[in-house]
Amino acid sequence: MLPHFAAAEPFPHLVLDDFAPKPTLRAVAAGFDEVPDEAWVRYDDLDERGKRACNKLQAMPAACRDFLSLLTSPAAATICQWLTGIDGLATDPSLYGGGLNVTEPGGFLGVHLDNERHPETGLARRLNLIVYCTDWSQAGGWHDDWGGQLELWDRA
């Protein structure tokens, strides 16, 4: 386990910059636009607005499918076990609560807890992997006044 995972506040987590090669992430980001409208589920309620998600691999272009297949492989689970020290991790090829997610301009995703158990397998969610694949270099980097920064909150 990496010591800074266990010591991170407000709860154990890692932030890995340059997680994947930029050309790979650019191809994945471009692939979002190729997903047909009917494959997206849209969310507009108290906790999230202007958000859409797709967990249908067959509706995604190859770059997205291939990247998600790598992230849900047994090798990825092994690497995550090594990074976190959490034994017995298994990936979810069904992408329940995962897949491609977009929060559109003006949208928001409120503070929330993800589902604790998979509704079909009953497996406990032990770890989330969030990969941002937008290339902000053309916009001069992320601008704080845009809002939407990742915030990790404790239970208080």
Side-chain angles (χ1 to χ4, degrees), residues 97-136:
L100 307 179
N101 286 262
V102 175
T103 302
E104 298 165 344
F108 72 89
L109 177 60
V111 176
H112 68 283
L113 291 173
D114 284 337
N115 296 310
E116 186 177 347
R117 296 228 170 247
H118 193 290
E120 294 173 12
T121 65
L123 291 174
R125 183 183 301 252
R126 303 285 313 277
L127 188 68
N128 283 340
L129 177 62
I130 302 170
V131 179
Y132 291 91
C133 55
T134 304
D135 182 0
W136 296 110

PDB file of all heavy atoms in Angstrom, residues 97-136:
ATOM      1  N   GLY A  97     -23.379   2.360 -11.848  1.00  0.00           N
ATOM      2  CA  GLY A  97     -23.017   3.647 -11.259  1.00  0.00           C
ATOM      3  C   GLY A  97     -21.753   4.231 -11.854  1.00  0.00           C
ATOM      4  O   GLY A  97     -21.212   5.209 -11.350  1.00  0.00           O
ATOM      5  N   GLY A  98     -21.260   3.644 -12.932  1.00  0.00           N
ATOM      6  CA  GLY A  98     -20.011   4.103 -13.530  1.00  0.00           C
ATOM      7  C   GLY A  98     -20.158   4.281 -15.026  1.00  0.00           C
ATOM      8  O   GLY A  98     -21.227   4.550 -15.541  1.00  0.00           O
ATOM      9  N   GLY A  99     -19.060   4.125 -15.719  1.00  0.00           N
ATOM     10  CA  GLY A  99     -19.053   4.325 -17.159  1.00  0.00           C
ATOM     11  C   GLY A  99     -18.647   5.744 -17.487  1.00  0.00           C
ATOM     12  O   GLY A  99     -17.815   6.344 -16.814  1.00  0.00           O
ATOM     13  N   LEU A 100     -19.252   6.284 -18.514  1.00  0.00           N
ATOM     14  CA  LEU A 100     -18.977   7.654 -18.945  1.00  0.00           C
ATOM     15  C   LEU A 100     -19.945   8.592 -18.240  1.00  0.00           C
ATOM     16  O   LEU A 100     -21.145   8.324 -18.187  1.00  0.00           O
ATOM     17  CB  LEU A 100     -19.157   7.787 -20.461  1.00  0.00           C
ATOM     18  CG  LEU A 100     -18.388   6.799 -21.343  1.00  0.00           C
ATOM     19  CD1 LEU A 100     -18.708   7.061 -22.813  1.00  0.00           C
ATOM     20  CD2 LEU A 100     -16.903   6.873 -21.081  1.00  0.00           C
ATOM     21  N   ASN A 101     -19.436   9.657 -17.675  1.00  0.00           N
ATOM     22  CA  ASN A 101     -20.265  10.645 -16.978  1.00  0.00           C
ATOM     23  C   ASN A 101     -19.870  12.046 -17.422  1.00  0.00           C
ATOM     24  O   ASN A 101     -18.683  12.349 -17.531  1.00  0.00           O
ATOM     25  CB  ASN A 101     -20.084  10.533 -15.463  1.00  0.00           C
ATOM     26  CG  ASN A 101     -20.769   9.318 -14.896  1.00  0.00           C
ATOM     27  OD1 ASN A 101     -21.881   9.423 -14.392  1.00  0.00           O
ATOM     28  ND2 ASN A 101     -20.133   8.166 -14.975  1.00  0.00           N
ATOM     29  N   VAL A 102     -20.871  12.883 -17.638  1.00  0.00           N
ATOM     30  CA  VAL A 102     -20.654  14.263 -18.054  1.00  0.00           C
ATOM     31  C   VAL A 102     -21.543  15.162 -17.208  1.00  0.00           C
ATOM     32  O   VAL A 102     -22.733  14.881 -17.052  1.00  0.00           O
ATOM     33  CB  VAL A 102     -21.033  14.471 -19.541  1.00  0.00           C
ATOM     34  CG1 VAL A 102     -20.920  15.932 -19.936  1.00  0.00           C
ATOM     35  CG2 VAL A 102     -20.202  13.601 -20.448  1.00  0.00           C
ATOM     36  N   THR A 103     -20.970  16.209 -16.667  1.00  0.00           N
ATOM     37  CA  THR A 103     -21.766  17.277 -16.076  1.00  0.00           C
ATOM     38  C   THR A 103     -21.619  18.462 -17.019  1.00  0.00           C
ATOM     39  O   THR A 103     -20.524  18.977 -17.219  1.00  0.00           O
ATOM     40  CB  THR A 103     -21.285  17.631 -14.656  1.00  0.00           C
ATOM     41  OG1 THR A 103     -21.355  16.454 -13.840  1.00  0.00           O
ATOM     42  CG2 THR A 103     -22.155  18.714 -14.047  1.00  0.00           C
ATOM     43  N   GLU A 104     -22.736  18.844 -17.596  1.00  0.00           N
ATOM     44  CA  GLU A 104     -22.732  19.880 -18.622  1.00  0.00           C
ATOM     45  C   GLU A 104     -22.578  21.266 -18.003  1.00  0.00           C
ATOM     46  O   GLU A 104     -22.812  21.443 -16.803  1.00  0.00           O
ATOM     47  CB  GLU A 104     -24.026  19.760 -19.434  1.00  0.00           C
ATOM     48  CG  GLU A 104     -24.097  18.415 -20.141  1.00  0.00           C
ATOM     49  CD  GLU A 104     -25.482  18.045 -20.664  1.00  0.00           C
ATOM     50  OE1 GLU A 104     -26.477  18.670 -20.232  1.00  0.00           O
ATOM     51  OE2 GLU A 104     -25.548  17.130 -21.495  1.00  0.00           O
ATOM     52  N   PRO A 105     -22.193  22.269 -18.793  1.00  0.00           N
ATOM     53  CA  PRO A 105     -22.067  23.630 -18.263  1.00  0.00           C
ATOM     54  C   PRO A 105     -23.353  24.058 -17.551  1.00  0.00           C
ATOM     55  O   PRO A 105     -24.449  23.858 -18.071  1.00  0.00           O
ATOM     56  CB  PRO A 105     -21.812  24.478 -19.511  1.00  0.00           C
ATOM     57  CG  PRO A 105     -21.147  23.530 -20.471  1.00  0.00           C
ATOM     58  CD  PRO A 105     -21.814  22.189 -20.211  1.00  0.00           C
ATOM     59  N   GLY A 106     -23.193  24.598 -16.349  1.00  0.00           N
ATOM     60  CA  GLY A 106     -24.333  25.005 -15.542  1.00  0.00           C
ATOM     61  C   GLY A 106     -24.910  23.887 -14.697  1.00  0.00           C
ATOM     62  O   GLY A 106     -25.771  24.117 -13.854  1.00  0.00           O
ATOM     63  N   GLY A 107     -24.458  22.665 -14.917  1.00  0.00           N
ATOM     64  CA  GLY A 107     -24.950  21.529 -14.150  1.00  0.00           C
ATOM     65  C   GLY A 107     -24.189  21.377 -12.851  1.00  0.00           C
ATOM     66  O   GLY A 107     -23.227  22.092 -12.579  1.00  0.00           O
ATOM     67  N   PHE A 108     -24.646  20.442 -12.027  1.00  0.00           N
ATOM     68  CA  PHE A 108     -23.926  20.168 -10.789  1.00  0.00           C
ATOM     69  C   PHE A 108     -24.183  18.741 -10.333  1.00  0.00           C
ATOM     70  O   PHE A 108     -25.177  18.114 -10.709  1.00  0.00           O
ATOM     71  CB  PHE A 108     -24.312  21.151  -9.677  1.00  0.00           C
ATOM     72  CG  PHE A 108     -25.695  20.925  -9.118  1.00  0.00           C
ATOM     73  CD1 PHE A 108     -25.895  20.062  -8.047  1.00  0.00           C
ATOM     74  CD2 PHE A 108     -26.779  21.570  -9.657  1.00  0.00           C
ATOM     75  CE1 PHE A 108     -27.162  19.846  -7.543  1.00  0.00           C
ATOM     76  CE2 PHE A 108     -28.054  21.368  -9.159  1.00  0.00           C
ATOM     77  CZ  PHE A 108     -28.246  20.500  -8.099  1.00  0.00           C
ATOM     78  N   LEU A 109     -23.266  18.238  -9.556  1.00  0.00           N
ATOM     79  CA  LEU A 109     -23.397  16.963  -8.877  1.00  0.00           C
ATOM     80  C   LEU A 109     -23.176  17.269  -7.407  1.00  0.00           C
ATOM     81  O   LEU A 109     -22.072  17.636  -7.002  1.00  0.00           O
ATOM     82  CB  LEU A 109     -22.356  15.961  -9.390  1.00  0.00           C
ATOM     83  CG  LEU A 109     -22.331  14.600  -8.715  1.00  0.00           C
ATOM     84  CD1 LEU A 109     -23.656  13.881  -8.855  1.00  0.00           C
ATOM     85  CD2 LEU A 109     -21.201  13.748  -9.299  1.00  0.00           C
ATOM     86  N   GLY A 110     -24.228  17.182  -6.616  1.00  0.00           N
ATOM     87  CA  GLY A 110     -24.154  17.532  -5.210  1.00  0.00           C
ATOM     88  C   GLY A 110     -23.368  16.520  -4.395  1.00  0.00           C
ATOM     89  O   GLY A 110     -23.049  15.420  -4.858  1.00  0.00           O
ATOM     90  N   VAL A 111     -23.064  16.904  -3.172  1.00  0.00           N
ATOM     91  CA  VAL A 111     -22.390  16.001  -2.244  1.00  0.00           C
ATOM     92  C   VAL A 111     -23.290  14.798  -2.037  1.00  0.00           C
ATOM     93  O   VAL A 111     -24.495  14.938  -1.791  1.00  0.00           O
ATOM     94  CB  VAL A 111     -22.108  16.722  -0.905  1.00  0.00           C
ATOM     95  CG1 VAL A 111     -21.507  15.763   0.093  1.00  0.00           C
ATOM     96  CG2 VAL A 111     -21.190  17.908  -1.136  1.00  0.00           C
ATOM     97  N   HIS A 112     -22.736  13.604  -2.173  1.00  0.00           N
ATOM     98  CA  HIS A 112     -23.532  12.391  -2.056  1.00  0.00           C
ATOM     99  C   HIS A 112     -22.636  11.212  -1.680  1.00  0.00           C
ATOM    100  O   HIS A 112     -21.414  11.298  -1.752  1.00  0.00           O
ATOM    101  CB  HIS A 112     -24.241  12.086  -3.375  1.00  0.00           C
ATOM    102  CG  HIS A 112     -23.289  11.698  -4.473  1.00  0.00           C
ATOM    103  ND1 HIS A 112     -22.533  12.630  -5.151  1.00  0.00           N
ATOM    104  CD2 HIS A 112     -22.965  10.494  -4.986  1.00  0.00           C
ATOM    105  CE1 HIS A 112     -21.788  11.995  -6.045  1.00  0.00           C
ATOM    106  NE2 HIS A 112     -22.031  10.698  -5.959  1.00  0.00           N
ATOM    107  N   LEU A 113     -23.266  10.128  -1.303  1.00  0.00           N
ATOM    108  CA  LEU A 113     -22.588   8.853  -1.111  1.00  0.00           C
ATOM    109  C   LEU A 113     -22.998   7.952  -2.254  1.00  0.00           C
ATOM    110  O   LEU A 113     -24.179   7.893  -2.608  1.00  0.00           O
ATOM    111  CB  LEU A 113     -23.005   8.190   0.212  1.00  0.00           C
ATOM    112  CG  LEU A 113     -22.534   8.857   1.490  1.00  0.00           C
ATOM    113  CD1 LEU A 113     -23.181   8.181   2.696  1.00  0.00           C
ATOM    114  CD2 LEU A 113     -21.025   8.775   1.602  1.00  0.00           C
ATOM    115  N   ASP A 114     -22.042   7.236  -2.830  1.00  0.00           N
ATOM    116  CA  ASP A 114     -22.396   6.277  -3.862  1.00  0.00           C
ATOM    117  C   ASP A 114     -23.081   5.077  -3.224  1.00  0.00           C
ATOM    118  O   ASP A 114     -22.965   4.844  -2.021  1.00  0.00           O
ATOM    119  CB  ASP A 114     -21.142   5.822  -4.614  1.00  0.00           C
ATOM    120  CG  ASP A 114     -20.645   6.877  -5.591  1.00  0.00           C
ATOM    121  OD1 ASP A 114     -21.453   7.721  -6.014  1.00  0.00           O
ATOM    122  OD2 ASP A 114     -19.456   6.855  -5.925  1.00  0.00           O
ATOM    123  N   ASN A 115     -23.791   4.323  -4.040  1.00  0.00           N
ATOM    124  CA  ASN A 115     -24.446   3.121  -3.540  1.00  0.00           C
ATOM    125  C   ASN A 115     -23.430   2.209  -2.881  1.00  0.00           C
ATOM    126  O   ASN A 115     -22.361   1.955  -3.434  1.00  0.00           O
ATOM    127  CB  ASN A 115     -25.134   2.375  -4.682  1.00  0.00           C
ATOM    128  CG  ASN A 115     -26.241   3.192  -5.299  1.00  0.00           C
ATOM    129  OD1 ASN A 115     -27.090   3.702  -4.593  1.00  0.00           O
ATOM    130  ND2 ASN A 115     -26.224   3.340  -6.606  1.00  0.00           N
ATOM    131  N   GLU A 116     -23.770   1.721  -1.715  1.00  0.00           N
ATOM    132  CA  GLU A 116     -22.835   0.890  -0.953  1.00  0.00           C
ATOM    133  C   GLU A 116     -22.740  -0.534  -1.494  1.00  0.00           C
ATOM    134  O   GLU A 116     -21.690  -1.152  -1.422  1.00  0.00           O
ATOM    135  CB  GLU A 116     -23.268   0.851   0.509  1.00  0.00           C
ATOM    136  CG  GLU A 116     -22.276   0.143   1.391  1.00  0.00           C
ATOM    137  CD  GLU A 116     -22.685   0.170   2.847  1.00  0.00           C
ATOM    138  OE1 GLU A 116     -23.587   0.930   3.224  1.00  0.00           O
ATOM    139  OE2 GLU A 116     -22.085  -0.593   3.611  1.00  0.00           O
ATOM    140  N   ARG A 117     -23.824  -1.057  -2.030  1.00  0.00           N
ATOM    141  CA  ARG A 117     -23.862  -2.434  -2.525  1.00  0.00           C
ATOM    142  C   ARG A 117     -24.373  -2.476  -3.954  1.00  0.00           C
ATOM    143  O   ARG A 117     -25.266  -1.732  -4.335  1.00  0.00           O
ATOM    144  CB  ARG A 117     -24.769  -3.299  -1.654  1.00  0.00           C
ATOM    145  CG  ARG A 117     -24.260  -3.426  -0.256  1.00  0.00           C
ATOM    146  CD  ARG A 117     -24.260  -4.874   0.191  1.00  0.00           C
ATOM    147  NE  ARG A 117     -23.553  -4.979   1.450  1.00  0.00           N
ATOM    148  CZ  ARG A 117     -22.405  -5.603   1.604  1.00  0.00           C
ATOM    149  NH1 ARG A 117     -21.840  -6.193   0.591  1.00  0.00           N
ATOM    150  NH2 ARG A 117     -21.811  -5.662   2.768  1.00  0.00           N
ATOM    151  N   HIS A 118     -23.803  -3.390  -4.719  1.00  0.00           N
ATOM    152  CA  HIS A 118     -24.266  -3.621  -6.084  1.00  0.00           C
ATOM    153  C   HIS A 118     -25.622  -4.315  -5.994  1.00  0.00           C
ATOM    154  O   HIS A 118     -25.758  -5.298  -5.269  1.00  0.00           O
ATOM    155  CB  HIS A 118     -23.251  -4.497  -6.830  1.00  0.00           C
ATOM    156  CG  HIS A 118     -23.459  -4.533  -8.298  1.00  0.00           C
ATOM    157  ND1 HIS A 118     -24.529  -5.174  -8.881  1.00  0.00           N
ATOM    158  CD2 HIS A 118     -22.737  -4.002  -9.317  1.00  0.00           C
ATOM    159  CE1 HIS A 118     -24.451  -5.053 -10.197  1.00  0.00           C
ATOM    160  NE2 HIS A 118     -23.374  -4.333 -10.481  1.00  0.00           N
ATOM    161  N   PRO A 119     -26.631  -3.815  -6.712  1.00  0.00           N
ATOM    162  CA  PRO A 119     -27.972  -4.377  -6.554  1.00  0.00           C
ATOM    163  C   PRO A 119     -28.125  -5.819  -7.051  1.00  0.00           C
ATOM    164  O   PRO A 119     -29.031  -6.524  -6.616  1.00  0.00           O
ATOM    165  CB  PRO A 119     -28.846  -3.430  -7.374  1.00  0.00           C
ATOM    166  CG  PRO A 119     -27.929  -2.820  -8.356  1.00  0.00           C
ATOM    167  CD  PRO A 119     -26.592  -2.740  -7.675  1.00  0.00           C
ATOM    168  N   GLU A 120     -27.249  -6.262  -7.940  1.00  0.00           N
ATOM    169  CA  GLU A 120     -27.368  -7.622  -8.471  1.00  0.00           C
ATOM    170  C   GLU A 120     -26.405  -8.590  -7.804  1.00  0.00           C
ATOM    171  O   GLU A 120     -26.770  -9.703  -7.463  1.00  0.00           O
ATOM    172  CB  GLU A 120     -27.162  -7.616  -9.986  1.00  0.00           C
ATOM    173  CG  GLU A 120     -28.270  -6.868 -10.702  1.00  0.00           C
ATOM    174  CD  GLU A 120     -28.005  -6.714 -12.182  1.00  0.00           C
ATOM    175  OE1 GLU A 120     -27.083  -7.370 -12.719  1.00  0.00           O
ATOM    176  OE2 GLU A 120     -28.723  -5.915 -12.812  1.00  0.00           O
ATOM    177  N   THR A 121     -25.158  -8.178  -7.602  1.00  0.00           N
ATOM    178  CA  THR A 121     -24.159  -9.099  -7.037  1.00  0.00           C
ATOM    179  C   THR A 121     -24.117  -9.046  -5.515  1.00  0.00           C
ATOM    180  O   THR A 121     -23.633  -9.976  -4.887  1.00  0.00           O
ATOM    181  CB  THR A 121     -22.748  -8.766  -7.559  1.00  0.00           C
ATOM    182  OG1 THR A 121     -22.370  -7.464  -7.068  1.00  0.00           O
ATOM    183  CG2 THR A 121     -22.698  -8.787  -9.090  1.00  0.00           C
ATOM    184  N   GLY A 122     -24.572  -7.927  -4.950  1.00  0.00           N
ATOM    185  CA  GLY A 122     -24.499  -7.749  -3.501  1.00  0.00           C
ATOM    186  C   GLY A 122     -23.111  -7.387  -3.009  1.00  0.00           C
ATOM    187  O   GLY A 122     -22.910  -7.196  -1.806  1.00  0.00           O
ATOM    188  N   LEU A 123     -22.145  -7.264  -3.914  1.00  0.00           N
ATOM    189  CA  LEU A 123     -20.789  -6.900  -3.508  1.00  0.00           C
ATOM    190  C   LEU A 123     -20.758  -5.471  -2.979  1.00  0.00           C
ATOM    191  O   LEU A 123     -21.457  -4.591  -3.477  1.00  0.00           O
ATOM    192  CB  LEU A 123     -19.814  -7.035  -4.678  1.00  0.00           C
ATOM    193  CG  LEU A 123     -19.524  -8.457  -5.155  1.00  0.00           C
ATOM    194  CD1 LEU A 123     -18.666  -8.425  -6.412  1.00  0.00           C
ATOM    195  CD2 LEU A 123     -18.850  -9.268  -4.064  1.00  0.00           C
ATOM    196  N   ALA A 124     -19.933  -5.260  -1.965  1.00  0.00           N
ATOM    197  CA  ALA A 124     -19.774  -3.925  -1.379  1.00  0.00           C
ATOM    198  C   ALA A 124     -18.862  -3.078  -2.256  1.00  0.00           C
ATOM    199  O   ALA A 124     -17.852  -3.567  -2.772  1.00  0.00           O
ATOM    200  CB  ALA A 124     -19.182  -4.034   0.024  1.00  0.00           C
ATOM    201  N   ARG A 125     -19.212  -1.817  -2.411  1.00  0.00           N
ATOM    202  CA  ARG A 125     -18.344  -0.879  -3.126  1.00  0.00           C
ATOM    203  C   ARG A 125     -17.236  -0.476  -2.156  1.00  0.00           C
ATOM    204  O   ARG A 125     -17.483   0.121  -1.127  1.00  0.00           O
ATOM    205  CB  ARG A 125     -19.142   0.346  -3.560  1.00  0.00           C
ATOM    206  CG  ARG A 125     -18.304   1.328  -4.381  1.00  0.00           C
ATOM    207  CD  ARG A 125     -19.105   2.563  -4.725  1.00  0.00           C
ATOM    208  NE  ARG A 125     -20.283   2.241  -5.480  1.00  0.00           N
ATOM    209  CZ  ARG A 125     -20.448   2.511  -6.775  1.00  0.00           C
ATOM    210  NH1 ARG A 125     -19.513   3.125  -7.439  1.00  0.00           N
ATOM    211  NH2 ARG A 125     -21.557   2.181  -7.393  1.00  0.00           N
ATOM    212  N   ARG A 126     -16.022  -0.803  -2.505  1.00  0.00           N
ATOM    213  CA  ARG A 126     -14.891  -0.507  -1.640  1.00  0.00           C
ATOM    214  C   ARG A 126     -14.024   0.624  -2.163  1.00  0.00           C
ATOM    215  O   ARG A 126     -13.248   1.219  -1.430  1.00  0.00           O
ATOM    216  CB  ARG A 126     -13.996  -1.760  -1.496  1.00  0.00           C
ATOM    217  CG  ARG A 126     -14.682  -3.005  -0.973  1.00  0.00           C
ATOM    218  CD  ARG A 126     -14.971  -2.960   0.511  1.00  0.00           C
ATOM    219  NE  ARG A 126     -13.885  -2.524   1.335  1.00  0.00           N
ATOM    220  CZ  ARG A 126     -12.880  -3.283   1.781  1.00  0.00           C
ATOM    221  NH1 ARG A 126     -12.831  -4.552   1.485  1.00  0.00           N
ATOM    222  NH2 ARG A 126     -11.944  -2.770   2.549  1.00  0.00           N
ATOM    223  N   LEU A 127     -14.123   0.888  -3.463  1.00  0.00           N
ATOM    224  CA  LEU A 127     -13.219   1.829  -4.095  1.00  0.00           C
ATOM    225  C   LEU A 127     -13.884   2.407  -5.338  1.00  0.00           C
ATOM    226  O   LEU A 127     -14.549   1.683  -6.072  1.00  0.00           O
ATOM    227  CB  LEU A 127     -11.934   1.093  -4.486  1.00  0.00           C
ATOM    228  CG  LEU A 127     -10.757   1.893  -4.986  1.00  0.00           C
ATOM    229  CD1 LEU A 127     -10.179   2.749  -3.871  1.00  0.00           C
ATOM    230  CD2 LEU A 127      -9.678   0.947  -5.510  1.00  0.00           C
ATOM    231  N   ASN A 128     -13.729   3.695  -5.545  1.00  0.00           N
ATOM    232  CA  ASN A 128     -14.160   4.359  -6.775  1.00  0.00           C
ATOM    233  C   ASN A 128     -12.922   4.835  -7.516  1.00  0.00           C
ATOM    234  O   ASN A 128     -11.972   5.316  -6.894  1.00  0.00           O
ATOM    235  CB  ASN A 128     -15.027   5.584  -6.483  1.00  0.00           C
ATOM    236  CG  ASN A 128     -16.435   5.228  -6.091  1.00  0.00           C
ATOM    237  OD1 ASN A 128     -16.914   4.137  -6.357  1.00  0.00           O
ATOM    238  ND2 ASN A 128     -17.102   6.156  -5.450  1.00  0.00           N
ATOM    239  N   LEU A 129     -12.958   4.739  -8.818  1.00  0.00           N
ATOM    240  CA  LEU A 129     -11.894   5.267  -9.660  1.00  0.00           C
ATOM    241  C   LEU A 129     -12.529   6.330 -10.555  1.00  0.00           C
ATOM    242  O   LEU A 129     -13.462   6.035 -11.302  1.00  0.00           O
ATOM    243  CB  LEU A 129     -11.269   4.157 -10.508  1.00  0.00           C
ATOM    244  CG  LEU A 129     -10.195   4.571 -11.490  1.00  0.00           C
ATOM    245  CD1 LEU A 129      -9.001   5.175 -10.758  1.00  0.00           C
ATOM    246  CD2 LEU A 129      -9.755   3.373 -12.311  1.00  0.00           C
ATOM    247  N   ILE A 130     -12.064   7.552 -10.429  1.00  0.00           N
ATOM    248  CA  ILE A 130     -12.571   8.662 -11.226  1.00  0.00           C
ATOM    249  C   ILE A 130     -11.424   9.145 -12.102  1.00  0.00           C
ATOM    250  O   ILE A 130     -10.362   9.516 -11.598  1.00  0.00           O
ATOM    251  CB  ILE A 130     -13.058   9.820 -10.329  1.00  0.00           C
ATOM    252  CG1 ILE A 130     -14.150   9.332  -9.372  1.00  0.00           C
ATOM    253  CG2 ILE A 130     -13.550  10.981 -11.188  1.00  0.00           C
ATOM    254  CD1 ILE A 130     -14.509  10.352  -8.302  1.00  0.00           C
ATOM    255  N   VAL A 131     -11.635   9.126 -13.408  1.00  0.00           N
ATOM    256  CA  VAL A 131     -10.621   9.578 -14.354  1.00  0.00           C
ATOM    257  C   VAL A 131     -11.177  10.783 -15.107  1.00  0.00           C
ATOM    258  O   VAL A 131     -12.196  10.674 -15.789  1.00  0.00           O
ATOM    259  CB  VAL A 131     -10.237   8.464 -15.357  1.00  0.00           C
ATOM    260  CG1 VAL A 131      -9.200   8.973 -16.350  1.00  0.00           C
ATOM    261  CG2 VAL A 131      -9.746   7.222 -14.637  1.00  0.00           C
ATOM    262  N   TYR A 132     -10.532  11.927 -14.952  1.00  0.00           N
ATOM    263  CA  TYR A 132     -10.902  13.111 -15.718  1.00  0.00           C
ATOM    264  C   TYR A 132     -10.106  13.064 -17.014  1.00  0.00           C
ATOM    265  O   TYR A 132      -8.881  12.983 -17.000  1.00  0.00           O
ATOM    266  CB  TYR A 132     -10.574  14.384 -14.938  1.00  0.00           C
ATOM    267  CG  TYR A 132     -11.454  14.567 -13.730  1.00  0.00           C
ATOM    268  CD1 TYR A 132     -11.089  14.059 -12.492  1.00  0.00           C
ATOM    269  CD2 TYR A 132     -12.670  15.233 -13.844  1.00  0.00           C
ATOM    270  CE1 TYR A 132     -11.904  14.216 -11.385  1.00  0.00           C
ATOM    271  CE2 TYR A 132     -13.487  15.398 -12.740  1.00  0.00           C
ATOM    272  CZ  TYR A 132     -13.106  14.889 -11.523  1.00  0.00           C
ATOM    273  OH  TYR A 132     -13.906  15.047 -10.434  1.00  0.00           O
ATOM    274  N   CYS A 133     -10.809  13.126 -18.142  1.00  0.00           N
ATOM    275  CA  CYS A 133     -10.095  12.995 -19.413  1.00  0.00           C
ATOM    276  C   CYS A 133     -10.232  14.224 -20.296  1.00  0.00           C
ATOM    277  O   CYS A 133      -9.895  14.178 -21.471  1.00  0.00           O
ATOM    278  CB  CYS A 133     -10.538  11.733 -20.152  1.00  0.00           C
ATOM    279  SG  CYS A 133     -12.284  11.590 -20.444  1.00  0.00           S
ATOM    280  N   THR A 134     -10.677  15.320 -19.739  1.00  0.00           N
ATOM    281  CA  THR A 134     -10.752  16.563 -20.494  1.00  0.00           C
ATOM    282  C   THR A 134      -9.374  17.214 -20.520  1.00  0.00           C
ATOM    283  O   THR A 134      -8.705  17.302 -19.499  1.00  0.00           O
ATOM    284  CB  THR A 134     -11.766  17.522 -19.852  1.00  0.00           C
ATOM    285  OG1 THR A 134     -13.016  16.845 -19.757  1.00  0.00           O
ATOM    286  CG2 THR A 134     -11.918  18.780 -20.667  1.00  0.00           C
ATOM    287  N   ASP A 135      -8.961  17.649 -21.681  1.00  0.00           N
ATOM    288  CA  ASP A 135      -7.675  18.327 -21.837  1.00  0.00           C
ATOM    289  C   ASP A 135      -7.895  19.824 -21.648  1.00  0.00           C
ATOM    290  O   ASP A 135      -8.435  20.499 -22.523  1.00  0.00           O
ATOM    291  CB  ASP A 135      -7.098  18.036 -23.223  1.00  0.00           C
ATOM    292  CG  ASP A 135      -5.738  18.659 -23.436  1.00  0.00           C
ATOM    293  OD1 ASP A 135      -5.209  19.331 -22.520  1.00  0.00           O
ATOM    294  OD2 ASP A 135      -5.176  18.469 -24.529  1.00  0.00           O
ATOM    295  N   TRP A 136      -7.511  20.328 -20.482  1.00  0.00           N
ATOM    296  CA  TRP A 136      -7.726  21.735 -20.174  1.00  0.00           C
ATOM    297  C   TRP A 136      -6.599  22.622 -20.681  1.00  0.00           C
ATOM    298  O   TRP A 136      -6.661  23.836 -20.543  1.00  0.00           O
ATOM    299  CB  TRP A 136      -7.878  21.937 -18.658  1.00  0.00           C
ATOM    300  CG  TRP A 136      -9.083  21.247 -18.150  1.00  0.00           C
ATOM    301  CD1 TRP A 136      -9.120  20.144 -17.350  1.00  0.00           C
ATOM    302  CD2 TRP A 136     -10.437  21.577 -18.414  1.00  0.00           C
ATOM    303  NE1 TRP A 136     -10.412  19.769 -17.110  1.00  0.00           N
ATOM    304  CE2 TRP A 136     -11.241  20.639 -17.755  1.00  0.00           C
ATOM    305  CE3 TRP A 136     -11.051  22.573 -19.156  1.00  0.00           C
ATOM    306  CZ2 TRP A 136     -12.631  20.674 -17.806  1.00  0.00           C
ATOM    307  CZ3 TRP A 136     -12.433  22.601 -19.203  1.00  0.00           C
ATOM    308  CH2 TRP A 136     -13.202  21.664 -18.534  1.00  0.00           C
TER     309      TRP A 136
END
